[in-house]
Amino acid sequence: MRTLKYALLGLINREPITGYDISKEFEKRIMANFWHAKHSQVYPELKRLLDEELISVELIIQGEKMEKKLYTITPKGHEEFVKWLSRDEPLGVTPKDVFRLRTFFTDFMSLSDYEKHLHSQLSKHNSKKESLEKSLTAFWNNIPQYGTKEFGDYAVLLGAVMREDSYIAWLYKCLDAIKTS
Amino acid sequence: MRTLKYALLGLINREPITGYDISKEFEKRIMANFWHAKHSQVYPELKRLLDEELISVELIIQGEKMEKKLYTITPKGHEEFVKWLSRDEPLGVTPKDVFRLRTFFTDFMSLSDYEKHLHSQLSKHNSKKESLEKSLTAFWNNIPQYGTKEFGDYAVLLGAVMREDSYIAWLYKCLDAIKTS
DNA sequence: GAGTACATGTAATTAGTTACATGATTGA
DNA sequence: TCAATCATGTAACTAATTACATGTACTC
């Protein structure tokens, strides 16, 4: 499906960007909430996009001698990206989840071990949710206009918070369910 | 991490099972809601578990000449599985989601295209949710006791329904957000 | 006899992770 | 000067998908 290709094209389409900054986006920024790639996957893919003439590159000298490569989308790349954007795809496989896998097999785990697991998950998902909610406050109650970069940021952040909320609610349901046992 | 290993051990731990039935579990049954593997991945992994002496195999003749292989867990396999069950792992990367990726880049998609996307997603997630809810009615309002196989089934099904609910709620929020644009 | 489900595998490719490898720049 | 961050890459490996390959059993 080469989804990474389109994730990169999307970022480069916004404005010229380096491989380093793309990697940061995947590892720390908003994008990390729905896509991920290490720099060791990003750099080879950039080379490939260059080969396919979907992007072009410009060498920038930073300071004394440090070099960085600024990638810019080509008309051909832009065209492919926009075409991909409007493509309708089937749902695809449900994401894997190790904790749900463990829950499925609780008939071989002690009640106290599972309870510990649940509390550990709750704490992890709660802190993730809190940090997401903090980012979301940037929008306060001002929903950005459709068509802006901010709309995308807002929509995916909202989705990430809701996903965490739902996961936390599920964990509480599991806690409830074991309390009667 | 070799999570597939433990997913297989967990299934074989319940009762002796064939590679074919394991694959069915991954592709069509409850497990598909949190783990997945094609038969081309399952068979080699079974061979590896056999090498590691975590499972054993028995050849069964079905009818005239058709053969199938029944895998059974060994004490060593059982021990490793139970140890894995109680392991606490860090949260891991957020699952990838192509539709969220598209949403992130809506600043290059027409409003009408995105609206079509949203309705398409709504219809897909709604039918998935409905089929999950149907499976959940098997438990009516009778929450299974902790420690039974049924508890695991119930908990992960509930989680799957809640995940779909939350996704659907997010899609409606996105629809709302574009309605004012 | 045809089609579907049962049953098991391998080969080739793509996707992703971990580890290796190097060097520059900035700020404390 | 030391640590963190900036910046770019490759090599080796693991995980997963798609395609190839074969044969049985059951039902219409």
Side-chain angles (χ1 to χ4, degrees), chain B residues 108-151:
Chain B
F108 285 88
M109 198 195 307
S110 75
L111 185 62
S112 69
D113 274 1
Y114 187 54
E115 213 178 334
K116 263 178 227 148
H117 268 310
L118 284 172
H119 287 298
S120 162
Q121 289 284 312
L122 268 171
S123 125
K124 286 166 189 164
H125 282 281
N126 264 319
S127 45
K128 190 168 180 184
K129 184 199 153 183
E130 273 164 33
S131 104
L132 287 167
E133 257 171 352
K134 209 179 242 174
S135 310
L136 198 61
T137 57
F139 299 95
W140 192 56
N141 53 12
N142 239 343
I143 300 176
Q145 278 284 299
Y146 184 83
T148 62
K149 183 187 169 302
E150 285 69 34
F151 178 87

Side-chain angles (χ1 to χ4, degrees), chain A residues 118 169-181, chain B residues 143 151:
Chain A
L118 285 172
W170 174 62
L171 292 169
Y172 276 119
K173 283 259 186 189
C174 290
L175 264 180
D176 275 357
I178 67 171
K179 279 292 157 57
T180 57
S181 292
Chain B
I143 300 176
F151 178 87

Side-chain angles (χ1 to χ4, degrees), chain B residues 157-169:
Chain B
L157 265 177
L158 183 64
V161 170
M162 290 175 77
R163 175 169 53 191
E164 289 308 319
D165 267 338
S166 154
Y167 206 100
I168 289 164

Side-chain angles (χ1 to χ4, degrees), chain A residues 7 16-17 25 38 44 52-53 58 60 62-63 69 73-74 77 79 82 86 100 106 137 146 157 161 181:
Chain A
I17 189 172
E25 194 69 41
K38 306 279 169 71
E52 296 172 325
E53 293 177 305
E58 188 194 355
I60 306 283
Q62 201 79 335
K69 293 179 172 179
I73 203 157
T74 63
E79 200 193 326
V82 172
S86 62
R100 291 180 205 246
T106 39
T137 56
Y146 184 83
L157 264 177
V161 171
S181 292

Side-chain angles (χ1 to χ4, degrees), chain B residues 18-20 43 57-71:
Chain B
T18 64
Y20 184 79
Y43 288 117
V57 69
E58 189 195 354
L59 237 99
I60 306 282
I61 306 296
Q62 200 81 333
E64 197 63 21
K65 48 172 93 165
M66 203 169 83
E67 286 181 343
K68 62 177 183 178
K69 293 178 171 178
L70 250 198
Y71 293 96

